[in-house]
Amino acid sequence: ALFGFIPVLVSFYALTLAASWSRDLDNGRMEIVLSTPQPRSRLLLEHAAAVILAAIFLPVVLWLAILLAAWAVDLRVDVARLAAASAAIFPLELIAAGLVYLLACRLPSGAATGLASAFLLVSFLGEFLQPVVSMPDWLIGLSIFHQYGTPAVTGMEWGRFLALLAVGVALLVAAVVAFGRTSLAARS
């Protein structure tokens, strides 16, 4: 049950970190930096690298905290499956952050963050309410949390992990390309 909610919370954490980029663009904090002779893509990639490091750090800390808590109460846990459940969260974080970066290239901060949040919320609710509300399998399959699966129970599902990772990387690459072509005045 713990890994039913943690991926959602951690995804919103990554979304919030990435949203600071959009807020900086809206508030004009990037204008001076963007006027210097360096590639615009570098600025976005530097911010994304910081978000990615935080996105990697949080599941590792989560994994260690659960292991320590289990050890403290003498509870046996499957270390490999716990590691799989923690590691499988990273692509979800990358998708959330990549979506914010991509949307922020064209939309104001509030709209970009709101749309990305709505996507995460609908994706989670679709997966969470699946047993109660009858929805077509193809629709449930669009949920990133459905694609996350249950690695704490089944172990790492590499096909799903790599597919989600590819989506996250694609969103980030699309954001870098779009930001290189975006007029900041057109975002308002």
Side-chain angles (χ1 to χ4, degrees):
L2 182 65
F3 279 97
F5 294 101
I6 286 180
V8 180
L9 297 175
V10 174
S11 296
F12 272 104
Y13 170 71
L15 181 146
T16 303
L17 292 176
S20 68
W21 167 263
S22 184
R23 286 190 305 273
D24 286 347
L25 289 174
D26 281 357
N27 295 331
R29 291 185 207 130
M30 301 297 287
E31 290 175 4
I32 293 173
V33 177
L34 289 170
S35 68
T36 61
Q38 59 181 321
R40 295 176 77 166
S41 59
R42 178 180 171 191
L43 297 171
L44 178 56
L45 288 171
E46 286 174 353
H47 193 275
V51 170
I52 288 169
L53 284 175
I56 291 170
F57 179 74
L58 191 58
V60 170
V61 168
L62 172 70
W63 177 68
L64 289 173
I66 293 172
L67 283 179
L68 287 173
W71 175 76
V73 296
D74 198 29
L75 179 68
R76 292 188 56 200
V77 294
D78 187 330
V79 176
R81 288 189 179 166
L82 183 59
S86 298
I89 293 172
F90 174 70
L92 305 178
E93 294 174 291
L94 190 59
I95 289 171
L99 187 58
V100 169
Y101 287 131
L102 183 59
L103 292 172
C105 291
R106 298 281 183 214
L107 301 172
S109 178
T113 305
L115 284 173
S117 295
F119 168 74
L120 288 180
L121 183 63
V122 168
S123 192
F124 172 70
L125 288 176
E127 176 64 13
F128 185 69
L129 296 175
Q130 178 187 11
V132 178
V133 179
S134 178
M135 289 184 267
D137 289 341
W138 66 267
L139 186 59
I140 294 298
L142 296 175
S143 166
I144 62 172
F145 301 107
H146 178 76
Q147 295 305 321
Y148 169 78
T150 55
V153 176
T154 61
M156 182 65 85
E157 296 180 36
W158 287 103
R160 289 179 174 199
F161 176 82
L162 294 173
L164 288 171
L165 193 60
V167 169
V169 169
L171 285 169
L172 189 57
V173 167
V176 169
V177 170
F179 186 64
R181 298 177 180 166
T182 299
S183 165
L184 294 182
R187 291 180 62 248
S188 305

